[in-house]
Every structure is written in C-alpha cells, then in structure tokens.
Amino acid sequence: MKKYIYTVLTIFLFVITSCEDKLADLFADPGVYSPTENVVPGLFAQMMSDGSNIRDIGFSWFRNVVSFTGFPVRTHVASPPHLSAPRFADYDNHAISVSEIGVQGTYTFAESRFLELATMDNLIDEMGEDEKNENAIYSHMINIIRLNYYSKSVDLYNSIPYFEAGKASEGVFFPAFDDPWEIYQDIMARYKELADAIEATNVSSFSDKGQAVLQTYDILFKGDTQKWVELANVWRLRAAIRVSDVYPTEAGVVIAEILADGNLPTVDLVGPADESWITTVNNGTYKGNFTRWNYHTQMSPEILYWLDADHDHLYTEGLDDPRLPVLALPNREGLYMPISYDHRIAEAIDEAVTTWNLADNGYNFSQSTSNDRYTNATQHMDRDAYTHWNNYSLMNLTEPYRLFTVAEIELILAEAALKGLTSTGSTAREHIENAVESSINYWYSQNEIGESTNDSNVADLDVDDYNGKGVNFYNMIFPAKPDATAISTWVTKVGQDFDDAAGDEEKLEIIMQQKYIDINVTETLELFAELRRTRHPTLGKYIFTDGSLLENNGIVERYPYNSEAEAFNSDQLDAVQDQNNTSTPIFWVPASKYSVFPYEDNDLYYFNKYPGIPETFN
Amino acid sequence: MNSWEGSNHILPKFDLKMKFSLLFFIISLFQLQASSGYAQKTKIDLNMRGASVLEIIEAIESKTEFKFFYSKEELDLDRELYLYANKQRIGKVLKKLFPDGSINYRIIDKQIVLTPNGFNKQKEETPPIISTQDPVKVTGKVTDELGNILPGVNVVEKNTANGVVTDFDGNYEIVAQEGAILMFSYVGYTLQEVDISGKTVIDIVLVPDNTELDEVVITAMGLRRDRRTLGYAVSTIKGEELTKAGNPVNPFSILQGRAAGVSVRQSATGPTGGVEINIRGTNALEFEANTRPLFVIDGVPMIDNESSIQASGGDALEKGDYGSGINDLNALDIESIEVLKGAKAAVLYGSAGGNGVVLITTKKGNDNGGLGIDVNYQFSIERPRSYLKLQNEFGSGYNEYTFRDFNNNNDYWMDINGENTLVQAAVPQNFGPAFAGNENVNLLYWDGITRPYQAYPNNFDFIYQDGHTKSTNVAITKGGDFGNMRFSFTNYEYQGMVPDFFQKRNTISFAGRLKVSEKVSIEYSTNYFDIKTQNRIEGFAVGQVNSLNRDAPYEELMANEQYKITDEFLEDGSINPNFGYYYHDDYRDNIDPNFVSEILSNAFYPDMPMARQFYGREADRYVDDKSHLIASIRPTIQITDWLSFTGQASIDLTNTDIENKEKPLLLDPVMLGGEYALSKSKALNHEFRAFMNFDKTFAKDRLRVFAMAGGTFSRQYTDRVYASIYSTPTESGFIYPDFFNLDNQAFTDDIWPDRTSEFERVRGSSVSEKEVHSLLGLATFTWDNVYTLELNARRDWTSTLDPTGGNNSYFYPGVALTWNYTNLAKSLVPAVQFAKLRGSFADIGRDAPSTYFAYQSLNAGSAVNDTDAIRVSAQSSVFGGTIRPERKREWEIGTEMNFFKGNRLSLDFSYYTNNVYDQIMSVGLTPTSGADAIRINAGDVRNWGYELSLNATPIQTEDFRLNMNLTMASQKNVIEKLYPGLPEKLIVGIGHQVEVLAREGERSGNIYAQGPRVVESGEFAGRKIVVTNGTEYALNEVEETLTGNIYPDFLGGLSTNLSYKRFNLGIFLDYSYGATLYNFKDYVLKGTGASVESLAGRNEAYGGLAYYIDEITGEYIPWDHSQSAPAGAEDGLVYHDGIIVDGVQEIIDNTDPLNPIVSYEENDQIVSANDYYTANYIFSTGAEALDGVSNRYDNDYIKIRELSLSYRFPPSVLDKLNLQNLSISLFARNLGYLYKTLPNFDAESSNGTKAFVGNTVLPSAQSFGFQLNLGL
C-alpha cells in the first residue's frame, strides 16, 4: 500500500513542480511585440507622429481652430467670426465662464504627449558610449518639440508644472506649478543647449547604419540636423520677443545671441516636401485638406480688409496687397466679400445653410471633408456669397507645411528694432519690408506647389467664364504672381505706412497686421498669444443675437486649468487657484496694457467701411 | 528515485493534460475496491463488554447517523453480550449483534429496521392474538412535501409489533385492526400517526423534521461538512426554491434576497443579459476590477465576466448584453447552491475566491433510488411592464404657436411639392401646442398620409410585445450496484419582448457516480448547453427616447409597409446599385424625398435605433450561437480506512460564434446599416486537482481529525477572431446586398477612417492565457462534536504577476473555531434546540485584475506612414514598482440558534470585518507627470457588516403550515488609505457632473456631483445662482457635493410559504435600501417634454407665466394671461408657458481684470418651458449640464419577485395515472413593487452589471405561467 501512496504523491509533486517555466512565459502579453532594434529612434518617431505634437509644431491649422471648441481662440485669431456661430447660443450671457471655455482637457500641458521620453532617456543612459552618441540626438530633437509645446502651454495658462513635469517614473506624481517667467527663462536656455548639442553632434561620425537610421527616423528633416538647430533658434526667438515687453533686457540679450550665432533660417523653414507621413495621423482626417465646414474656411473680414486695401472687392495691382488673390477665393460673383460679425446675420446664414436647397438660394456652402479641393472650390464658386481662403494655397496633401517663415523672423526683428531691444543690423522698416516681400513670395510659392501637385482634374479649372459670371476660374485659383515691380511697390507702400505711422503703437499695429496676414489661420495660437501681448491688431467685435456686445471687452486672457489638474493634482493646483480664471493676464503682458483691448466698439468698424452683403438679411 | 529519473526525461515532452491522464491511468491500475452508500462508507469502532443489545444500539446511533426502528415488545433487547468491532461496516456489526438469525435487519441507507424473523409474513398470516375488531388491509404511498416517493418508511401499527416498510416506490401494504393507529416514521421526518378507521387507502406526506440538524453542506473544494462544525457562514439555496416559480431563464436572476449578504441585480436587458452578483458588498478601488464571486459547478470553476448593455454602443460585434456563462445554467438541474461568503470559507479557492464563491451542485442519482423519470413542463408569458408616465396633452414643437407659419421658417412648415405644408416634423421636443383645441389641425406625416393632430398614448408600448417561455425537461435517474446516474435533457425557448428576439437552448446534464470497484469510485458530471440567441435587445441610445413624441403614430406608420426590397437586377440585367431596402415607391411618389430625409435626419439619423428598431429588426439578424461544455470527473480511491485520494479533471469550454447580418437600409438619400460581421471566440477553463485525504479518530473517538492536502492547476484561455464588411452612410459595402459573406466586400481599402477602436476595426484577433498553480491544505480537529478547529493554508503561483523574485507567489492562511454550546444554552433557555458560536480569520491574496495588467513593455507599432520609421510606444501607465498580490484579511464571528421543538424559529447571524489592502489598481495621474496613470499596490478599504437570516414557522398544524424566512444584510466600509499624496481616486465618472470618487476616510462607492452654485455671503447668502439667460442654475464646478452611494445600505428578502393540505402558496419579496441611481433616460424624457413631470409651467393651468417677446431686444417681458399683446410684441403674441427659476443673478464687472467686482440681484427672467426643460435636463446625449445634486434618485424598493401556487395530486390520482407524483403550479415573477422610490422606471433598469446608471427605457418583463411536474 505504501508503494501506491508514494507513487501517487510523487506523480502529483512532479506535475505541480514541472510548470514553473510556463508561468514566466505566460506573464508576457502575446499581443505586444517588444522591439530590440532602433528602439530609441522608434520612440522618437512615436512622439513625433503623435497627432497632438504635429499640431503644435505649426502644421494642420484647423486643428488649432477646430479642436478648440471654445470661444476665445476663434474670437481672437484671424479666423472668421462665423467660426463661432455654432457656439453662439452658449454665449448668450456675453461672458465666458470656466465651462464655456470648452477647451479644458483639449490643450493640456500634458506630458503624456511625451510619454516615451522618460523611457528614451533611461535607455540612452544605459548605453555604451558609441551607442549613446548615435542615440542622444533623438532626445535633443524631441526635447526641442517639447519646449515649444511647454512655451505654448505657458502662453495659454501662465503657471504650469514644468520643472517637475514628466517625472512620474521617478516617483513625482504631483508636479508643482512653476513661475512662468522661470519656465520661459529655462526654455530659452534649453533651446540653446539643445541647439548647441545638436550642432556638436558629428553625424558623419555615426556608423553607416546609424546615419541611415537617422535619415529614416528623423521624419521631420530627414537627418538634416542644421534644420533642427534653426528650429530651436526660431522658437527661441519667438519666446524672446514674447517676454520683451516685460523683460526687455533679457529678451535683447537672447535675440542678440541668436543673431550672433547666425543659425537663423534664411529660407522658410518648412516640413519635408513629401509630408504624407503626417497625413495618416489620426487616420488622415486632418491631413491638411482644406475641407472643413464653412465656418472654418470663410475669411475673416479684417484680413480681407487689409488685403483689399482699396476696399472695392476686387484685386487691383498696386492698390491691393499682392497676397489678396493668392490667399482669398472670391465669391460666386467674383468679388471679395467679407462676412459679418453680427450674430443676427450669422444666425440667418446658419439657417440658410441648413436648408437643403443650397444650390438655389443659399449664401454659403459647407466644404466637405470627403470632397477634393477641386470639388470644394467649384462648389464654392457655384454657391457662396462670401470669400473663402484659397484652399489651393493653404493646404495640400503633399505640400511642405509651414514651421517658421522668414517673414515672421523679420517681423519679430522689426519689433525688436522698433523697441531697441538689441541691434538687429537693420531698421524696423527694412525688416518689415523684408517680411512683406518674403511673405508674398512664400504664399505664391505655396500656391505654385499646390498647382504642381494638384488633383487630377486641375485641367478642368481652366474655364474662361466660369459659371457665366465672367470669372476665369483657373486664374482665380492660381493667380499669376505680380511682377517684381508690383511687389516692390506694395512693399514700399507698407514700409512707408510704417514710417508714417504716428507712434510706436501705430507702428506695432502695422507689424501685427502683417503677422496676421502672413500667419493667418496656419497657427492661430501664436496670433492669439501675440494679440494678448501687444493688443494689436485692432479687430472687430462680436454682436450677439440681441444686438449686444461681448462683455469683458471681448478678451480672454488665459484658459482655466484643465480638469485633469483638478482631478489628479488638486493640491498643487491650489497654489495657483487665484489665477485660475479667464481674466488674469499672462506674465508677458505689460501691466500698461491690462486695460487696453484690441477691439473696436463693434462690428461696424469694418463693416461700415467695407460692407458685405448682409442687407439681404435685414 | 533512480527509476523516476528515467521518467523525468520522458514526461516533460508531454503536455499537462497528458500528465494527468497518465496519473489517472496509473491510479486505475491499483485495482482498489470501491465503496458507496452510507452503510458502505461508515465504519464502526465498538468495544462493549457486558452491554445490552439496547445499549449497543444506542451506542451505534450516537456514533453514527444510523437510526434503528424496532418494536421493543418483539425483540429481546436486554440480552447482554460482548461486542468488539474495529472499523467494521454496519452489516458485520449487526451480524455479530444478532448472530442467531432470530432478528431480521434491513439497512435502508441510514435506517436499520429490526423485525423478528418472518415478521411481515407472520403478520399477514396470523391475526393478532387480541382482537376486538376485524383486521383490514390498508395500502398507500408515502411521499415527501415535494411529492418525492420515500422508500424504507416504517409503517407500524401503534402499540403492536405489526409493521412493514415502504418499497422502492414508496408503497406499503399492511393488515391492521380497524380503528388502529398507524405510525409512519422516517429519518429526518416528523413522525405521523393516522387513524385508519374506515380507510383502506392512506397516502401520507411526511414533513421534514428540522430538529435533527445534521445538515450536510458542501463547502470549498466540494467537501461535505456537517453544518454544526462550520466556523464560517454558508448560505444554501435548494434547487427547488429556484424552480418554485417555474424554470427561470437565468437561475441567478431570482437569487436576490434568498441568501443574506448576497446582492443580485438584474439589468434592464432582462434574464438573457448580465446579472450583477456581489457578495458582502465586495467593492474595489479599481472600477475594472472583478468584484464578482467565483462560480463553481460540480467542482468546475466557471468562466464568468462582466457584461453590459452599454457595450453595444459602436461595436459592430456587441449588439447587446450577452451575459456570461452562468446565464446558461438550467435551474432544473441544480440540486443546491451554496454561497461561501467570507474569506475563510473561500480560502481554499485562493485568488479566484477572493470575492466569495458560489458553489453549484447539480442533481445526481441515488444509489438506492431505482429508476425514476421526471418530466417538467412550463409555459409562461413575459409581459412588458413599463413604468413610464408619459404625458398626452402636448405634441411636438417648441411652444403653443408651433403651427403658425413664421416666414416659412419653422420646422413644421415645409415646401412639399411646391406647397407650403404643415408636417409632423418629429423634432424631439414635446412642448408644442396642446392637443385639446387643435383637433382640426392636420399634419402630413412622413409616410405621405395626413392625420389629425392628436396624441398616440400607446406609441411606446407598440414597440414591445408579449414574450413567452417554453421549457420541457425530462430527467432519468437510476441507482444500483454500478453507482448512480442522472440524465436530464431540457429544451428551452425564450421569446423576448422585442420582435425577433429569442433564445433557444438545449441542455444536457449527465451526472452520477460510478463504482469501479470497492475502493475506487468516479463521480462524473457533464453539462452541455447549446444556445442560440437572435436579435438581443440593444442598448437603445438616446434616439429611442428622443422619438417618443406624443403625436407619433408609430403603429400606423409601421403598418403601412413603406419599405420593400427592391429588385436585385435592373431590367437590363445589371445589378441594381440601389438593391436593398427602400422607401416604398408608392409612398415616395407622394412625397418630397427631401422631406423624408429631413424627417429621418431629425428622428432617426444618426440616432438610428428607432429606425433599426422598426425596420432593421425584421430584416437584420444578430445571432450568437454558443456551445458550452462544463464537465468534470472526480475519482476517489480509498487507500486505507483513513486515507484516500481524490482527483479531479475539469473543463469549462465555450465556443461562441457571433454573426451580424445587417441589411443595407436605403432611406434615400441616407443609408442605414449595411454590415456583415463575424466573430469566433473560445473561452476555456481547465482545472486539475489532486488531494490526499486523511480522516481518523483519536482519544477514544472523542477527537476526529480530518485533513487534506494537495494541489491544483488551472488554466484560462480565451481567443477571438473577428472580421467585418460594412457600408458607409452613402454607399453599400456589399457587392451583392443580400449576400452575407466576408468575400462580398465592395470596398477594397479602409474607407472608414474613424473606425479606430478595436471592435470597430475590420478584422482583428486577440489571445489571452493565464495559469495558476497551487498547493493547499486543510485540517479540522473536532472534539466531542463540541469544539472544532479548522486550519487552512494555500499558496498560489500565478502567471499574471511578475515571476522575478518569486513575486508571483503568495500564501494565505485561514483558521476557524466552532463551539457548539447547545447544552449550556438549553440550561438557560429551555426552548433552545441548538446553539453554535463560530469565529474565523483568513488572509487571502489575489492576483492582477486582468491577465496582462502587471506586464510592462514597449510596443512596436506600425511604421510612420510612407516611411520606414517603426514607431515604438511606451505604456501610458507607469508602474510603482513590481505589482504584488493584493490581500484581503477578514475576521468573522457568528452564531446559529434554533428554538422550540421542530425548530419553529431559527436564526443565523454573522458579523464580519475585513480589510482589503495592497489593492492592485491603476490610479489616474495628471498627464503632466508624464503618465496617465500609475499601476500600483495601494489602498486599504475596511468593510464591515452583518448578515441575518431568520426562519420561523409560526403556524403548523396537520393541514396548515406557514413558514417565513427573512434575510437582511448591511455593509459599511471606509477607505482607510489610498496612496501617499493621493487624496482621492476617480472610480468612474459620467461626464464631469457625476463621479464615483474614492476618498480617504470616506465610504467607498460615494457619488459626488456638481450642484448649483450658491451665494457665499451677503444679502443673498445661500441663494442659488441662475445662469445669465435664466434657464437654469450655474453649476459649482469647483466643489462637488456628496449625493449618495452606489451600494445599498441594506438589502435582503422575505420568503413566505403557506401550505394547506396539498396546496402551497409562495410569496417572495426582496428589498433594497440606500443605493443611489442616476437615471439619464428620465432626464431625457423631461428634457424633451415627454414625461408627465415636464407638464409644470406649460400653460396657465399648469402654472405657466404669461409674457411676450420684445421684437427689438428679444427680451421676455412679463404680461398678463388675459391681455392681448402690446405693441412691440414679437408677432403680436402672448405666451403662457413662462417659468422663472428661483434664484439670483450674478453680475460681474470685469473692468479691472485683476479685481472683478461681483454683485447679485434677484432673478426675474422669464424663460419658456421648452428652454427651461431643455436646459435643466438632458436634451440629447451626455450629462453636460446636469445638476447632479438635484437630479439624483434614491433607489429603494420592495419588490414582489415571485408568487407561486402549487398543488400536488394525491396518490389516489397518481395510482390511476400510474404516476409517482404529479404537481401543477401557477406562478408569476416580477409582479411589481410594493414600494419604490425611482419614478418612471423599474428599479432594476441599470445598464448592466456593476452599474449605478440607468440609461435605457426598456420595460421590464412580468412573467405569468404554469408548470407541470410529473414523475413516472
């Protein structure tokens, strides 16, 4: 009997103990493939291709607008008033509360966009010297993106967690909110460190494989590290001008340093010519097709007013900005026709839009995301009473996207020169003239690329008398670039206007108008920040359904903190609760401008001078 | 060991299954002999010198469960003898006791009937010596309360030695003196005496005698234990309780209130959907954590999961609440359900039993049972019972002037074929003109027919129909020398309340015990379920509620058959590109297609459930087909008298195919649906166990030691493969619209870029596998049946935790102590029949909440588009060190007491307190930290509560018996610790307005909501602040208010049974108190003006204020109801539906942005009823602006769960029909509520398991039916 017992027990113990290895095997998730090669570059590619990051490096303009469902950005940037028409009902009280901002959680200062950064740094730390040499550059590059992102967050919120941010893996779960000026100082210093580090990286010393990997994985500049250096510098320049009203000395030092380094781009800094890698982010829904709802594609009256300088609703060479035809598509009558800030009119249009009989009597149309540009353009020309952005200039599937234009550099330097922050080597007028000329060239070049990489049916555009309206459709979409003389005439006119402007504020108004024209809808957040800082350019003001105006002088100084901060970091948030409103200006707004608001009293400022077609609704 | 080394080289090549097969094979070679039956199993130790037969009989009775039946007069019981027995069976002992053959003995299970030799014959042949009357022959049948035959019942003529025993069919035949008294006695039943005067047929129903209290309960690992020695709480629900009111679709759906401390809640999808089951209010700080108990059927741990109707949102393959494996079980096959509630009770199950264990034992045969055939048939009607109170006074629209044509700019006026026509616009709002007074208004409906403006009060009811259930069960049992078996087949058909929704089930249960030899027996159990379900109820989204317009004649609209299937081919032979379901040409010709589109876009699209509800259901098929096998074999080898081996191999295998055939429904120009999706999944639980059992007495039998030790191996595996083809809103995705096959895909690339979630993808697969290996042991020491000490230990090794450093292994101990203090209690209170005190402690562990939760990795993704750069992503959660097993430590004390003879009153009370600590959870972090969450061991939640079960039989007479059973349980808890620096954790939230938050020092499950902001100080201090436009209160977004808790404070049930002769009336109530529910559909009904509650303020009669609208400023100016509009009134109208929200307006002067000035003034803004209700309640989806403080509901209720009336036919009828038993019962379930606090909805209208949100308007089902039981 004992034999039986021993036999049973032995078999039993054998079975139980023979499965240990299996447990270890099963611990790993079979649905996850953990790579062993190019891990650091892969982490870089992941962070770079994160849709949110792409959005923040300047691409995909309408994400800046559309994803900000709240009121302020739409109100304050150069996008048309109609943008916020669907939200008007929410703002009937003419004031803006925390919940009505609606952007909470959309633009968070969330380190989660750089989730892989801690892992990347840990991996690099553990590497041997050679390997570290070839991998550290990815950390430098993604950190440049990260700094830009953090500076934008400060621009929206003021104090944010910065120095302790992104350290969950080190056990810091509740990062403190830091002083925004200290953040900005650090950001400007770090840009330089990173630029220097990249400059010091000798890519040619990489192994052949390392060089190939860099070209493959640097999906932004294809291994052209000089462009990364330039990118760090232009963003640093932007940061410097932002703080220049409050900390002029520090700003001057930084600008002087940048100019001395000589690493500013001399041509527009743009993304790769073939930007298709971006087009599938988020499954391609914001691949840059200029195809959004009408609210997002109609042109704002201010920009149209500045471009159509003689206000005759037509482009006249010499009298109008040469960028008018390349930035704007006329309406179905061939006219440049602005839309109203008056909500009563906007509402009427909304209702017209929602009827199904658009083709017969509608006043504008909705561009469809499923249409190609040709279809949208032709439908617009068929129907719309208002001016849209020229979708062939602004967006294309494969056009390089804007990171930073020379024009914007020149406008920043113009301001620096105007304020005497440092010696820029030129006068403010020279800078602004350079800016206008460069911007004209930039936008025509964008339009030309649009043509060359156009939809298959571009030939159909060549219609002399489109729709019987006496409009040459092709020329409307692809306006011929004015000759050098005409451009020069306009450039000089702007320069002269600048000289003629009575004082510094008036000159700043012109600089900011030019910034609005050049940047327009491509990077609305930058304009929103600059508007709050300079209180320029002067814009129209919303009129609500009942005829009243937006309260609080229409300006939102900052965004309330997002709900994650309240939910997960409330103790730290408490320290900055006193500024958790919409009315505390960001630290870079000079106190002298707290009570200055960049709005004319009402919509009539532009509308009376430059009427559109609202009488139809009266 | 050398001989085994060789084996070691061979065996590792085998997989585990083979190893176990080998193990059992070797065991079978032992050729040991099996034993069975109590008499066979029970060994007697006796050493009695000079003892009388009577003394020996009493000694045997005291040591065993045997009971002797005899007539003192007939037997010589005073004879003295010496009897020595060393572990001998009763047969041998009796042979020694009655060596001369003068006494006949018959062993019937635990009964031993002693008669003088030739007893029965002699009685028939020889009349009694003293006789004053003639003898008569009396026959009859003896059954139990339920009509089961009772063989072996002693039938003795009182005061004589005349007696017989019932045969296997329960029949007896005795010759006795006229006028004599017959005594019927049977172990476990109350003795009955019957006067035979004038009777020749006497059928007897024996009533159980609870005084015995030798109840054996099944405990962990299937161990049968005497309830008297248990140190922890176990609730038992007998199978017959489950089927008293018919065979339920889901046996667990009716468990609520039957076991103290077990909360069972059915979801809105009814019995085929998920059932929330929670023992001792188990809760977790991780919402995704499993809080369900472990279900074990005949030793097989079942696959179980959460399910919810919410899942049906956008998932092509989740069209409803699929329930889980426990939904499949057939109540008719269930012998009993034991609920192991505490940690100690479940400790042997290790991690899996952390939330308690539900042990399900299926019916088996009886070794002595002979052949029995039972048939059960039931039929019931399921009747939709809606608690909605819809108003029928106002129709669609925004105000009383909806029908006026203002500048042709009104939802009610449309250009139909060139004419400005008044149409039924089907806007969701029901704030339109009153029906009264507008009888002459005619509207064009979208089927092209013009109808008068009127209410259709039953348009909601039209959607639902009566369902029914048919169930037929045949069970065959057989016992004998081979062991026993039971075979049961059930055909079940459930027709739900929605057309085309059905479930068909065929269930086979085959179980029993096989005597291989004297020492080897094998228990086997096989349950196979083949279940097909079609068109499960979907989680109707907001669309259905938004479509409940009071002037929508759905029944008429549907009756018109506006839709038809178009021809597949055009006349020229080409494929019709519009082949599919079309708006019928006859109607389309009558009406502007734009109108149809407009209506549909308003009423259905994109919230299309109503459209699909009406049209899709007929055309579409969502079918899930499930094959579910639960099987186990359990060999037992009696190695020595005190040592045995038990093994078990079990499997729970489910294969599920889901096929969704959704026809393209073309409602020009919009297409709805058009999808074919296929999913195949497998879920497998394997478990193998092997134990050595030790059972021996010491110290002259005063100490009994029972011990077992062994190991288990369990493996859980799931996989799923799915694929689909689909249409877009404008284009069919099928080449041939009516051909459902994956190859029939029209699109070759992914044209639906928004489909990003796993379930929306066109194809995919997933695999998950988990193993747990365990060693465990148990030892119990019982002294004099008074004190019992039980020790448990278990160690698990799990694959879900990191194996490095042995972190994947954890140990848990348990100890329990029992004191049977009956004698002491009796001396104090004579009425006490039984008294027990018990206490236990256990510390158990649990592994990760999901299989790969603790696995940290980098994940290689796809290449960045058009580049070769392969993305590598990190997890969005960081890990706070290596995840350790979580722990639960529980103390429990309890008592059981019975009072009065027959145990007319009994109580079972438990108090427990436990700490669940080191919980494995994911804690949300501010993304600024660089991670969305941290996965850690954290938290310490203390739970405490009591459970009370009271059973009383206040009335018991020969014919009449009233029995009541009350259960009650209450649980409290406090979150003692979360994580350092973490003040709270979001468990689950609905928008930002309503959140379940875990906060240190507070109760778990607390709900916080945003309520109105109030003025903090000054003249208006405490007043609520109204938003600027006056429609609603401004919400306090900074501080949330505690509004309730998702768990009830206490809950339980009351079961009442009333028997009169052969009738039995059962009433079962259950109740819940203290839980909070957010019912979003109720808010929608208010927001759209469909519910009665939204009538206030609609017009003057309902308290509405008069006002006009200033045509210039648009302001609402107060006016008088009786006065006509002044000049300057917009359109010259006076409105009568004005409401002023009671509160103050906040005025903020922001001239100086750094120092805004805030002031308040009384709110005097008039708003329209439409604006008021739309703003204050949910108008469309979500909870964007909900005042979660005002809009909470207590969900207290007392529900009439069951009502049943049964009748057992008497033996006289049975004999004529040649039946063993026959009973019929009428029953009703879910009759309604005696009390409920949730207005408009069923208290059980939650979304699914683990839900505190009501989000559906589905009616609940009331069942009415009958069942027939017969035994052949």
Side-chain angles (χ1 to χ4, degrees), chain B residues 39 59 156 256 260 262-263 342 383 435 473 508 511 554 695 707 745 852 903 910 985 987 1037 1120 1217 1232 1237:
Chain B
V156 178
Q256 169 75 317
V262 182
S263 158
R383 180 153 292 170
F435 294 119
N473 168 266
I508 292 171
Y554 287 125
D695 191 355
Q745 183 175 10
Y852 303 112
N903 293 329
S910 302
K985 173 181 177 355
I987 306 296
E1037 291 159 3
D1120 195 278
L1217 297 171
T1237 52

Side-chain angles (χ1 to χ4, degrees), chain A residues 108-125:
Chain A
T108 65
F109 34 92
E111 188 73 11
S112 59
R113 295 184 183 183
F114 301 94
L115 262 182
E116 286 76 16
L117 196 52
T119 308
M120 179 190 268
D121 288 344
N122 287 339
L123 287 173
I124 293 171
D125 281 350

Side-chain angles (χ1 to χ4, degrees), chain A residues 488-510:
Chain A
S488 171
T489 306
W490 182 256
V491 167
T492 307
K493 177 186 180 302
V494 175
Q496 192 57 50
D497 287 351
F498 185 78
D499 269 354
D500 294 346
D504 282 0
E505 288 300 320
E506 288 73 13
K507 289 184 196 296
L508 197 55
E509 169 73 17
I510 290 175

Side-chain angles (χ1 to χ4, degrees), chain B residues 815-836:
Chain B
V815 59
L817 194 59
T818 312
W819 175 33
N820 181 342
Y821 66 105
T822 307
N823 291 339
L824 175 66
K826 216 166 192 166
S827 66
L828 299 171
V829 182
V832 170
Q833 302 292 309
F834 173 73
K836 180 180 101 175

Side-chain angles (χ1 to χ4, degrees), chain A residues 35-44 119-120 123 135, chain B residues 858 870 872:
Chain A
T36 52
E37 277 213 324
N38 298 337
V39 178
V40 167
L43 293 166
F44 172 80
T119 308
M120 179 190 268
L123 287 173
N135 281 284
Chain B
L858 291 174
I870 307 287
V872 180

Side-chain angles (χ1 to χ4, degrees), chain B residues 816-1019:
Chain B
L817 194 59
T818 312
W819 175 33
N820 181 342
Y821 66 105
T822 307
N823 291 339
L824 175 66
K826 216 166 192 166
S827 66
L828 299 171
V829 182
V832 170
Q833 302 292 309
F834 173 73
K836 180 180 101 175
L837 259 184
R838 56 174 196 250
S840 66
F841 166 81
D843 190 353
I844 65 172
R846 187 152 52 188
D847 54 2
S850 58
T851 309
Y852 303 112
F853 185 91
Y855 179 63
Q856 305 181 49
S857 64
L858 291 174
N859 189 3
S862 58
V864 177
N865 193 43
D866 286 344
T867 75
D868 295 323
I870 307 287
R871 294 184 183 92
V872 180
S873 60
Q875 281 166 303
S876 61
S877 297
V878 292
F879 285 74
T882 308
I883 302 285
R884 304 186 304 279
E886 71 175 55
R887 311 291 302 196
K888 178 180 184 180
R889 179 175 292 168
E890 182 163 291
W891 295 90
E892 176 183 330
I893 56 166
T895 185
E896 287 166 46
M897 296 186 82
N898 297 345
F899 301 91
F900 308 117
K901 193 166 171 48
N903 293 329
R904 299 277 291 269
L905 178 68
S906 61
L907 75 84
D908 185 339
F909 177 82
S910 302
Y911 174 83
Y912 61 90
T913 172
N914 65 50
N915 279 64
V916 184
Y917 59 103
D918 268 0
Q919 292 196 37
I920 301 173
M921 62 169 98
S922 174
V923 180
L925 295 177
T926 172
T928 319
S929 68
D932 290 347
I934 178 171
R935 294 185 182 183
I936 43 170
N937 289 93
D940 185 354
V941 179
R942 189 161 72 87
N943 304 283
W944 68 96
Y946 66 81
E947 289 149 6
L948 175 67
S949 176
L950 268 178
N951 195 305
T953 310
I955 303 169
Q956 181 160 9
T957 67
E958 193 174 329
D959 292 332
F960 191 77
R961 186 166 190 262
L962 172 65
N963 178 268
M964 300 175 85
N965 188 53
L966 174 77
T967 65
M968 178 182 282
S970 172
Q971 155 139 342
K972 299 281 182 205
N973 60 43
V974 64
I975 298 161
E976 296 191 328
K977 253 189 290 182
L978 266 178
Y979 192 70
L982 193 73
E984 67 181 29
K985 173 181 177 355
L986 175 70
I987 306 296
V988 63
I990 311 153
H992 292 304
Q993 277 68 43
V994 181
E995 291 177 332
V996 177
L997 295 175
R999 289 181 170 168
E1000 275 187 8
E1002 294 189 4
R1003 197 179 157 192
S1004 155
N1006 272 353
I1007 307 170
Y1008 286 85
Q1010 291 181 1
R1013 279 178 60 213
V1014 292
V1015 181
E1016 288 175 6
S1017 58
E1019 180 190 354

Side-chain angles (χ1 to χ4, degrees), chain B residues 8-23:
Chain B
N8 268 334
H9 292 300
I10 299 165
L11 284 173
K13 292 181 183 171
F14 297 169
D15 67 11
L16 207 66
K17 278 179 279 186
M18 292 184 67
K19 288 175 189 172
F20 274 95
S21 303
L22 183 65
L23 174 68

Side-chain angles (χ1 to χ4, degrees), chain B residues 237-258:
Chain B
I237 298 119
K238 293 286 179 197
E240 54 260 31
E241 285 184 59
L242 301 174
T243 53
K244 186 173 268 180
N247 185 11
V249 182
N250 175 353
F252 294 92
S253 65
I254 56 168
L255 275 188
Q256 169 75 317
R258 290 180 200 269

